[in-house]
Amino acid sequence: MGTPPPQQPPRPAHAPAPPRTPPRQSLLISKRLLWVHGAAYPLENIVRVHTFDLTPRRGAAFAQFLKRGGVTLLILLLLMWISDATSGGWDGSSSDLSDVTGFLMVLVVVALIYFIGDMLAVVFAGTHHVLAVETNGRSTALVTAPREQLNELVVSIAEAIDKPDAELHAHVASLAITNYGNYHFGNSVNMYGGSGNTGVSR
């Protein structure tokens, strides 16, 4: 009979588990890394953790629609006038111009419908209470959960930054947002010079 293959020695109970990518619906701290929806952020690179209400820019979306819609309507009226002016002609060039004008009118109507839908998507969008994790680079992680849970996570993440052996695992939700430019990202502070800074945009 052959000798059985050597078995691996058991791993001590205090040894850390091998790293793995956490589920995308979780927030996890392990081995000085903060995992948010599968992305890793070193704890030493985090400069701010805070909560705020992510509110849609409804007024800006409506103002943008008025600008784009006004220009679109003017173009549509101009094309309608050109179509009426050329509809009485009998030569082939007038007929071709009328066909082109009709095609352009269809495109303008489609664009107007798109602008209306784009505005309504922002106007009727909901407000999200979110937790933001900002790093010393350009990266920012956002998660949403009940307000009480997010407030507790802020405290837990802040404490974990100073604890080498910190561990944390929490279930959070991802944000179904396609364009973050349509939202207000909390308060912003504008500083110009070294004194008398009073500019806080809400």
Side-chain angles (χ1 to χ4, degrees):
M1 296 180 61
T3 59
Q7 295 183 354
Q8 296 291 334
R11 183 165 51 91
H14 63 274
R20 64 180 183 86
T21 303
R24 296 193 62 83
Q25 295 300 107
S26 69
L27 183 148
L28 185 145
I29 293 178
S30 178
K31 299 182 180 180
R32 306 300 297 162
L33 288 177
L34 170 65
W35 292 86
V36 181
H37 298 322
Y41 300 85
L43 290 179
E44 59 269 18
N45 290 349
I46 296 176
V47 296
R48 185 167 73 148
V49 182
H50 62 107
T51 62
F52 65 92
D53 289 329
L54 188 66
T55 58
R57 302 167 57 95
R58 298 184 178 94
F62 184 70
Q64 184 183 37
F65 167 74
L66 291 181
K67 294 178 183 178
R68 298 192 303 186
V71 173
T72 305
L73 286 176
L74 288 177
I75 296 176
L76 181 61
L77 291 176
L78 177 62
L79 291 175
M80 292 175 64
W81 178 81
I82 295 176
S83 178
D84 290 339
T86 59
S87 61
W90 293 96
D91 56 335
S93 60
S94 297
S95 178
D96 293 340
L97 182 60
S98 180
D99 292 340
V100 172
T101 304
F103 176 72
L104 292 177
M105 288 174 61
V106 172
L107 292 182
V108 171
V109 171
V110 171
L112 184 60
I113 295 174
Y114 171 79
F115 294 152
I116 293 175
D118 191 42
M119 176 201 64
L120 294 179
V122 180
V123 170
F124 291 102
T127 298
H128 304 275
H129 192 67
V130 301
L131 179 147
V133 179
E134 300 178 7
T135 68
N136 52 17
R138 298 176 59 90
S139 300
T140 300
L142 294 178
V143 298
T144 184
R147 183 185 299 265
E148 295 78 10
Q149 181 184 358
L150 292 183
N151 292 333
E152 294 175 357
L153 287 176
V154 170
V155 177
S156 299
I157 295 173
E159 292 178 348
I161 293 176
D162 294 327
K163 294 181 179 180
D165 57 346
E167 298 284 341
L168 174 68
H169 190 192
H171 292 283
V172 292
S174 58
L175 297 176
I177 296 176
T178 57
N179 186 3
Y180 284 101
N182 293 332
Y183 285 80
H184 293 285
F185 278 77
N187 299 338
S188 60
V189 179
N190 298 322
M191 301 181 65
Y192 303 95
S195 63
N197 299 308
T198 58
V200 178
S201 302
R202 298 183 180 274

